[in-house]
């Protein structure tokens, strides 16, 4: 089963309380986005946004130029349905992130729990090249992955764990780290997953 089929199946068969990544309020992501201190008119893209509640909170906080990208059309359709009329103000992008070719420049690139699914060097290079191309020169990368204290698999797929140092190494020299935070994510099943989040500034 390829990745797209895998995720389309997940978002057909499972509800938010049946998947481990669900967050009622993505507080750390929202905090890091605020820490970037960008205008509410800044262009922000949420990578792997699926049916995440992040976009709801960003709209409530006054952000106006939002894009949500996911490999699963089913996931995005669920999010659109939840938002109702508000979804018309959002750019929805259905694609594999390693094949994403942005037609605009973004000020903030947010990714919680997509990057760690890229386990081969080629996919990581594609991701980074697409990120560099899509982000403005003064843009910021906010990324959250499973840490070295987190799971080694998710949704039946292998993942790649990261630390503050390995994230820095992966995204240098184009990005310099600004801050890191760890988060224990409590899943709907009562388990705990440790994430490492980094906020980076583009320097080219």
């Amino acid at each position: 089963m390829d990745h797209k089929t895998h995720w389309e199946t997940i978002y057909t068969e499972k509800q938010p309380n049946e998947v481990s990544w669900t967050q009622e309020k993505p507080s750390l992501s929202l905090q890091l986005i605020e820490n970037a201190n960008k205008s509410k008119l800044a262009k922000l893209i949420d990578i792997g946004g699926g049916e995440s509640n992040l976009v709801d909170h960003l709209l409530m906080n006054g952000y106006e130029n939002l894009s949500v990208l996911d490999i699963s059309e089913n996931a995005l359709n669920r999010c659109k349905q939840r938002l109702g009329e508000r979804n018309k103000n959002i750019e929805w992008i259905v694609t594999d992130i390693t094949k994403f070719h942005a037609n605009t420049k973004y000020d903030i690139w947010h990714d919680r729990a997509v990057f760690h699914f890229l386990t081969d060097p080629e996919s990581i290079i594609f991701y980074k090249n697409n990120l560099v191309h899509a982000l403005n020169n003064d843009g910021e990368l906010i990324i959250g992955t499973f840490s070295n204290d987190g799971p080694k698999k998710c949704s039946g797929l292998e993942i790649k764990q990261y630390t503050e140092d390995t994230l820095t190494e992966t995204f240098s020299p184009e990005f310099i780290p600004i801050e890191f935070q760890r988060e224990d994510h409590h899943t709907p099943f009562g388990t705990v997953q440790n994430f490492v989040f980094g906020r980076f500034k583009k320097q080219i």
Side-chain angles (χ1 to χ4, degrees):
M1 185 184 296
D2 64 27
H3 278 187
K4 180 171 178 60
T5 303
H6 175 86
W7 292 111
E8 294 290 15
T9 301
I10 292 289
Y11 284 106
T12 299
E13 298 180 349
K14 294 185 181 293
Q15 296 303 309
N17 66 338
E18 298 176 304
V19 293
S20 64
W21 50 88
T22 297
Q23 286 181 304
E24 189 66 31
K25 183 177 181 180
S27 299
L28 182 52
S29 291
L30 291 166
Q31 177 191 327
L32 292 171
I33 289 168
E34 286 297 311
N35 289 356
N37 198 29
K38 299 288 187 184
S39 160
K40 295 298 173 70
L41 296 175
K43 292 184 178 180
L44 185 153
I45 185 166
D46 186 19
I47 304 301
E51 57 178 337
S52 163
N53 294 320
L54 178 65
V55 66
D56 308 58
H57 290 280
L58 290 173
L59 287 170
M60 287 189 287
N61 290 348
Y63 288 88
E64 298 184 17
N65 292 308
L66 302 176
S67 301
V68 181
L69 180 151
D70 203 279
I71 195 172
S72 168
E73 188 169 11
N74 288 333
L76 295 183
N77 285 339
R78 284 189 184 185
C79 195
K80 289 180 189 178
Q81 185 174 17
R82 186 182 72 234
L83 290 170
E85 286 296 310
R86 292 181 297 164
N87 84 63
K88 296 179 180 177
N89 299 320
I90 296 167
E91 178 188 27
W92 303 95
I93 305 167
V94 181
T95 190
D96 181 327
I97 188 55
T98 64
K99 300 175 182 176
F100 176 48
H101 299 289
N103 55 17
T104 187
K105 293 286 188 181
Y106 298 97
D107 301 299
I108 297 175
W109 174 294
H110 173 269
D111 172 352
R112 173 186 178 264
V114 171
F115 185 64
H116 62 211
F117 283 106
L118 306 181
T119 57
D120 63 279
E122 185 179 40
S123 294
I124 292 170
I125 289 170
F126 284 144
Y127 180 105
K128 186 176 176 182
N129 287 344
N130 295 341
L131 163 64
V132 170
H133 171 76
L135 204 60
N136 278 323
N137 285 341
D138 61 345
E140 294 199 7
L141 162 67
I142 296 168
I143 190 160
T145 72
F146 285 146
S147 77
N148 55 316
D149 295 319
K152 296 181 179 179
K153 279 191 172 184
C154 181
S155 188
L157 301 176
E158 297 288 339
I159 63 92
K160 184 176 174 67
Q161 296 177 328
Y162 286 91
T163 65
E164 293 82 353
D165 288 341
T166 55
L167 278 176
T168 299
E169 180 182 351
T170 299
F171 290 103
S172 67
E174 294 88 352
F175 295 87
I176 55 173
I178 301 170
E179 63 174 313
F180 292 102
Q181 294 198 46
R182 293 273 180 136
E183 178 182 55
D184 279 331
H185 167 59
H186 296 265
T187 74
F189 323 131
T191 59
V192 178
Q193 300 174 334
N194 190 254
F195 278 76
V196 56
F197 275 78
R199 181 163 70 92
F200 294 80
K201 190 171 186 66
K202 189 177 178 185
Q203 63 170 358
I204 61 170

